[in-house]
């Protein structure tokens, strides 16, 4: 088994194509290639989506919580590749199952993201993702993603 490792935003920016305001992972706390990842997103009141969701009662949109999980899952998969293998590639959602939202996420919360690889076959990866705030489950889902050539999109 590989030793767990961690990394900051610089490595995240190397691996993911996402940029502000759509980059939703701030730090990787633990990653074991081919197994699991633990990361987090610090949710700030300055996030642009809070202007309209919802005025007076700022709540992080559930779809963005799932996107944060997907980005963490993407980091899990992409971290295991040799960098030369990912040139010209995109890691895209191909399915969501068993999505449940358990508690709202508010400004000031730290969204802890955990993904565990369920299986990998050819160019498809299936992961179990969970998002927590203060140890309380906020959302969960099974995510399926595929690596594809940028030119095919």
């Amino acid at each position: 088994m590989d030793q767990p490792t961690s990394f900051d935003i610089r490595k995240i920016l190397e691996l993911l194509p996402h940029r502000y305001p759509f980059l939703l992972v701030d730090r990787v706390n633990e990653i074991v290639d081919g197994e699991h990842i633990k990361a987090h997103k610090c949710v700030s009141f300055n996030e642009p989506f809070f202007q309209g969701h919802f005025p007076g009662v700022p709540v992080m949109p559930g779809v963005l919580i799932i996107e944060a999980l997907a980005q963490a899952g993407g980091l899990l998969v992409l971290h295991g590749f040799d960098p030369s293998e990912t040139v010209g590639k995109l890691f895209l959602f191909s399915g969501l199952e068993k999505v449940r939202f358990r508690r709202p996420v508010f400004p000031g919360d730290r969204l802890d993201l955990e993904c565990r690889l369920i299986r990998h076959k050819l160019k498809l990866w299936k992961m179990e993702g969970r998002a927590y705030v203060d140890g309380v489950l906020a959302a969960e889902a099974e995510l399926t993603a595929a690596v594809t050539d940028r030119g095919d999109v």
Side-chain angles (χ1 to χ4, degrees):
M1 179 174 95
D2 290 336
Q3 288 294 321
T5 189
S6 63
F7 51 86
D8 63 15
I9 193 69
R10 292 171 293 207
K11 181 70 173 179
I12 293 168
L13 291 169
E14 284 178 26
L15 293 172
L16 291 181
H18 305 78
R19 295 297 179 262
Y20 178 84
F22 214 70
L23 181 60
L24 299 173
V25 179
D26 292 329
R27 181 163 187 81
V28 172
N29 305 313
E30 178 180 304
I31 186 168
V32 176
D33 289 340
E35 289 185 23
H36 72 269
I37 187 169
K38 294 180 180 183
H40 71 259
K41 159 86 177 136
C42 295
V43 182
S44 166
F45 184 70
N46 294 325
E47 308 282 353
F49 50 80
F50 284 131
Q51 292 178 34
H53 200 269
F54 298 98
V57 185
V59 176
M60 185 173 184
V63 295
L64 293 182
I65 297 169
I66 300 302
E67 174 64 26
L69 283 170
Q71 289 180 21
L75 288 165
L76 174 60
V77 171
L78 294 170
H79 188 259
F81 275 90
D82 180 284
S84 65
E85 295 177 295
T86 61
V87 173
K89 305 284 186 190
L90 283 176
F91 189 67
L92 301 172
F93 263 138
S94 58
L96 287 171
E97 298 175 70
K98 302 179 184 174
V99 178
R100 297 287 181 268
F101 299 102
R102 306 294 186 184
R103 81 175 292 284
V105 176
F106 302 106
D109 287 342
R110 184 176 115 160
L111 190 63
D112 292 313
L113 308 163
E114 297 182 6
C115 287
R116 182 183 62 82
L117 188 64
I118 297 172
R119 72 177 158 272
H120 165 226
K121 186 174 182 181
L122 302 173
K123 293 183 178 186
L124 292 174
W125 284 261
K126 186 163 191 167
M127 290 167 270
E128 173 184 87
R130 290 192 172 95
Y132 298 88
V133 174
D134 296 328
V136 177
L137 185 63
E140 60 188 331
E142 285 185 3
L143 310 116
T144 306
V147 173
T148 187
D149 291 322
R150 281 182 181 257
D152 293 343
V153 177

